[in-house]
Amino acid sequence: MDGEELTEQETALYDRQIRVWGAGAQRRLSKCHVLVSGIKGTVAEFCKNIVLAGVGSVTLLDDRLVTEEAFNANFLILPDENAYAGKTVAEICCDSLKEFNPMVHVSIEKGDLSTLGVDFFEKFDVVVIGYSSRATKKAVNEKCRKLTKRVAFYTVDCRGSCGEIFVDLQNYKYTKKKLDETVECELTFPSFEEAVSVPWKPIPRRTAKLYFAKRVIELFEETEGRKPGECSLSDLPRVLKLKNELCEGNSVSENLIPDSLLERLVSGKTEFPPACAIIGGILGQEVIKVISGKGEPLKNFFYFDAEDGKGVIEDISH
Amino acid sequence: MASQQQQSAIKGAKVLMVGAGGIGCELLKTLALSGFEDIHIIDMDTIEVSNLNRQFLFRRSHVGQSKAKVARDAVLRFRPHINISSYHANVKNPEFDVDFFKQFDVVLNGLDNLDARRHVNRLCLAADVPLVESGTTGFLGQVTVHIKGKTECYECQTKPAPKTYPVCTITSTPTKFVHCIVWAKDLLFAKLFGDKNQDNDLNVRSNNSASSSKETEDVFERSEDEDIEQYGRKIYDHVFGSNIEAALSNEETWKNRKRPRPIYSKDILPESRSQQNGSTQNCSVTDGDSTISVMPSLGLKNPQELWGLTQNSLVFIEALKLFFAKRKKEIGHLTFDKDDQLAVEFVTAAANIRAESFEIPLHSLFEAKGIAGNIVHAVATTNAIIAGLIVIEAIKVLKKDDDKYRMTYCLEHPSRKMLLMPIEPYEPNPACYVCSKTPLVLEINTRKSKLRDLVDRIVTAKLGMNLPLIMHGASLLYEVGDDLDDIMVANYNANLEKPLSELPSPIVNGSILTVEDLQQELSCKINVKHREEFDDEKEPEGMVLSGWTQVPATNGESASTSNNEKPADVTESSSGSETASKKRRLSEIEPSNHKKETENVESDDDDIMEVENPMIVSKKKIRVE
C-alpha cells in the first residue's frame, strides 16, 4: 500500500522512531518534500528535527548573507569567518544539515518568497515560513491554497522567549483511535489571512495573550515598513499606542494585552535558545504527524512563553 | 529574558551534565547556545547506529567512540571558546564523590536508568547541589527540579522497580508474550549458550518422576560428534514437546487454565533441512559475529513480518545450528544482547513457538527484539523540547528564583489546551527514607533468608546502594570496598551465606539494621519483622520492604499496572487517599476529576516494562478536568 519496504539501512537507523510511529509512517516521511524559508534559531531546530526524522527532501530558502548575529541561536552555522564569508544562510545551513542524515536530500532555492509563483509551491507537501513579514506569509498561504494538491502550511516566529506557530491544513482527514476502534475525523482550518484578522471581541478571554500581542507587533512592522524582528525598546511607546488603537477598534479593553508582554516582544530581537529548541521541537512533531497522517494535528495556533512555561494550543477562527 | 543579571549568572556557572545520549546531545547544544561556558559531561557509553536518529552530534564514523567526548568535540565546533570537560566513565565510580559534585552550581541529568538517577540524587543531596531531572519516551517527557529542603528529592515518590515475574509463570504457566520472551531469553538461551554453572529453572516443576534431573542434563549436553540438526531437533522436542507433556500431567495446574499443546519437530518440519540442501553453509555470514543471521537464507527479509509456526521452527533449528557451526567458541559464555542478530532471531523463534503452544499471539522479530532488549522508543523532537525546558529550569536555579521552579510535562495529547504543562514542585516528603531519613520496615523469614538475599534484593536492588555497609548495633555484618583485608572479606563472605538469625549478631524479629552507602552519604534504618510465609506469586522474593511513601507510583507507572489500576497521575494530586503529607504548594492547576483517557497505544503488550524510564508519564494519562 505504501510502496517499497524500508531498506535495511533505514530500518537500522530509524529503529527507535519506527517503534514510535511505525514503518508505514516512516515510509510516508521518506516521500515527503518540505520547503523551509527564513532560517533563524527556531527554524534551524525544526530543520534538524525533520532531517533526522528522514523526510524525503528539505529545500532551504534564505538569501541573507551570514553575519555574526546569524549564528546567535543557530547551531548550523559555525563561527568560522573563512567558511561563511560571502555565503547565504541557506547555503551554510544546507551543508550542516546534510551531515545529520545522508538519506535526506537537502538543497537550496534562491529568490524572494513573495514573488515565487503558485507552481513553485506545488513541488512541496509542507511549507514552513520562519522569519518573514505578514504580507509574505499571507501571499504564500494564498498560493498554497490555490493548488489542488493539499500543501500543509506553517508559520513560526520566536521573539526572545516567546513563540508562535500557525497551522493551515485546509481540509484535513485523519484517523484517531477511540477506545478500541479507529475513528475517521476531519478538521477545517482557516487561512492565514482569516486567522490573523479574526475580530477580537468574540474571542474567549482566556485565550493566550500572545495571539493578540503578536498581531500588534505584526501590524506595527507592516505600517512602519520594518523588516520582521526589526524593533527595539525605543519603539515601545508607538507600539503601545497602536495597541490601544487596535483594542478600541475591536471594542475590547486595553487590558487585554499586558504592556509588559509587548515590551518583551519588542526587545526580543534575539531568540532565546531554549525557546528555539522547544518551539522547533513542537513544530517538528506536528509536521511529522501530518505527514504520517496519524493522530490529531494541532489546530491552529501554538504558543509558548518561557515566563510561565506553558505550551498552549489555541483554536482561533471566525 | 536575556537580562544582564541572567547573562552573568549563566556565564559564571559551572554545570554538570550526566548523560550524553538522546537528551544529552540536545542539552549540551542548547546550553552552549544559551551562553554557558563551563560544562562537564559524564557518559560511560559508546555510540551505536541506532543512536543516530536523534543523537545528532554523532556521525556514522563515530560509532564505537565515547559519547561524552564526541559530543564535546561537536559542540566546540560552533562554540569554540567555551570549556567542556568530558568523562568517559560511569557516574557511579568513586571518583565522582560528594566533593566532586560540590563544585557545581547545578546538576542536569539525561539518564536512561533508574539506578543511576537514584545514585545522582543522593550525591546531589549530600553535596547540597540542585538537581534538574528529566526523561523521555516517544512523545512523552518531563522535567523536574529537586532542591534539598525545598522540594521533593527524586526519590520522595516511589519509582516503579523493574518488573519481575513469578518463576512459575515463566516456567509453566505463561499467559503473555513477554513471559515467553523471558523464558526464551533467560532460561533457554542461557541454558544452551550461557554459563553452564548458573542455576537455571528451565526444567523446574516437571512432575514426571521418571525423568531425573540427571537425564535432563544429558538432553542439553551435546556430544562432540552429535549431528547439529539432530541435536537441534532433540532440544526442540524436549522443550516444546516432552516438557509440555510433563507439565500437562499435573492436573491441578490446568484446572482453571487453558492447556498448552505439545509441539514436535517431526510434525512441523518433516524433512530435515540439511537433507534438502546440503549444509549450513547457505546461511549468510558476514564479518563480525553479531551480524551472522539465518533470516536471509530462509527468505525472511522483513523484521516486521509475522512468522508462522513453521517459519519460527525453521529459524529456531537453523539459528541453533549456526551457533554451533560458526560460533562454537562463544557457547558457554554468551549472554543475550539485543544487538546480536542471531541471538535475537533464536529468542524470537523460541518465544513464538512457546506462544503458539500456549495460544498466545505471536510477534514479529522487530517487536520481540524490543521486548527482549528493553528497547525504549525515542525521537529527536521530544528530546529537544525537554532539553529546552531543562535549560530554562537551570537558569531559574542559578538565579535562585525559588518561586519560579516548575515540573513540566510534555504531553502527547493536549490537556486543557496544553501540550506543555508546568506545575509547582512539591515539598519534600517527610516519609522519604532518602531525604527525610525515615526508617523502613522489612518483613522477612529471619530463619530461612540469608544475608546474601538481603544484600541482593533489598540493599542493592531496592535501596539502590552501590557500596553498602550493613550494621547491626555495633556489629559490622557486611561491607564492600577496596581497602578491606582478606580476613575481613572472608568473614563477610561467610556472613553472606548465613541465615539472618544465625549471624554473629543474630537478626531476629525486632532487630534494627543500619544500612549505609558512604559514597552516596545515605544512611537508612531498617526495622526487621520476622514472618514465616510469603506468597510465591505475589511476593516472589520472599521479603517485603515498606514504610516509605504510600503514594502509588506516579510518573512512569508505565505498563505494569494493566490490571490493578492506579491512575498514573500526571498532575499527581489529591485523590484523597494519598498521604496527607503530600502538600502541594500553590497550585496553578486544580485537577478536579481524574478521567483516564484511553490512550492511543500501538502495542497491546501492556505489561512490557519500560523500567528504564520511570520519569516518563504513563500512557494512561489523566485528562485534567
Side-chain angles (χ1 to χ4, degrees), chain B residues 180-239:
Chain B
C180 302
I181 287 282
V182 175
W183 175 88
K185 182 177 90 153
D186 295 336
L187 295 186
L188 185 60
F189 184 88
K191 184 83 183 171
L192 281 169
F193 307 116
D195 184 359
K196 302 257 185 280
N197 295 323
Q198 276 278 47
D199 283 340
N200 193 304
D201 290 319
L202 191 57
N203 291 306
V204 103
R205 298 173 196 232
S206 168
N207 217 33
N208 189 343
S209 51
S211 68
S212 67
S213 63
K214 179 96 189 349
E215 194 184 289
T216 308
E217 285 316 304
D218 291 342
V219 170
F220 284 93
E221 277 306 310
R222 178 179 161 254
S223 45
E224 198 46 55
D225 49 359
E226 186 175 357
D227 175 56
I228 304 179
E229 167 97 24
Q230 216 174 312
Y231 173 72
R233 284 173 175 262
K234 184 177 71 172
I235 300 296
Y236 185 109
D237 292 339
H238 179 77
V239 298

Side-chain angles (χ1 to χ4, degrees), chain A residues 257-272:
Chain A
I257 311 171
D259 288 357
S260 56
L261 181 58
L262 285 167
E263 184 176 342
R264 288 170 56 214
L265 288 178
V266 298
S267 18
K269 196 166 158 78
T270 54
E271 296 163 293
F272 183 49

Side-chain angles (χ1 to χ4, degrees), chain A residues 5 9 11-24 45 48-49 52-53 71-75 77-79 96 99-100 103 160-161 177 179 206-208 264 270 272-275 277-282 284-286 288-289 294-296 298 302 304 306-314, chain B residues 1 6 26 29-30 33-34 48-50 52-56 59-60 77-80 138-139 301-304 338-339 365-367 369-371 375-382 384-385 387-389 391-392 395-396 404 406 408 410-414 416-422 588 598 600-602:
Chain A
E5 290 172 353
Q9 201 186 21
T11 313
L13 175 63
Y14 299 135
D15 182 274
R16 300 296 185 267
Q17 64 200 40
I18 291 173
R19 290 175 192 281
V20 177
W21 53 60
E45 285 276 346
K48 175 249 304 163
N49 292 332
L52 289 174
F71 53 80
N72 245 326
N74 185 342
F75 62 96
I77 306 183
L78 306 184
S96 298
E99 286 185 22
F100 293 150
M103 291 197 256
S161 52
K177 278 212 188 118
L179 301 174
R206 288 174 63 163
T207 301
R264 288 170 56 214
T270 54
F272 183 49
I278 291 166
I279 297 158
I282 297 280
Q285 248 164 226
E286 280 303 307
I288 290 168
K289 215 193 292 184
K294 270 175 150 180
E296 184 168 342
L298 181 167
F302 173 83
F304 175 74
E307 185 88 336
D308 65 14
K310 290 187 190 163
V312 182
I313 298 175
E314 295 290 0
Chain B
M1 246 203 177
Q6 180 167 301
E26 295 284 347
K29 170 257 300 166
T30 303
L33 289 175
S34 301
E48 296 175 14
V49 169
S50 63
L52 302 177
N53 80 320
R54 63 204 183 283
Q55 298 173 25
F56 70 98
R59 305 280 170 264
R60 206 163 273 271
R77 287 176 71 207
F78 61 86
R79 281 297 180 271
F139 291 123
K301 295 210 187 84
N302 185 357
Q304 308 226 320
K338 68 182 189 298
D339 297 312
L365 181 110
F366 179 78
E367 293 166 324
K369 177 176 168 176
I371 300 166
I375 295 179
V376 178
H377 45 298
V379 296
T381 49
T382 320
I385 294 166
L389 294 169
V391 175
I392 290 173
I395 294 173
K396 292 176 192 170
K404 297 250 171 94
R406 295 290 177 268
T408 309
C410 177
L411 308 174
E412 186 173 352
H413 303 289
R416 291 198 335 184
K417 299 192 303 182
M418 281 183 277
L419 279 179
L420 298 177
M421 182 191 284
E588 289 187 279
T598 310
N600 170 17
V601 180
E602 290 271 38

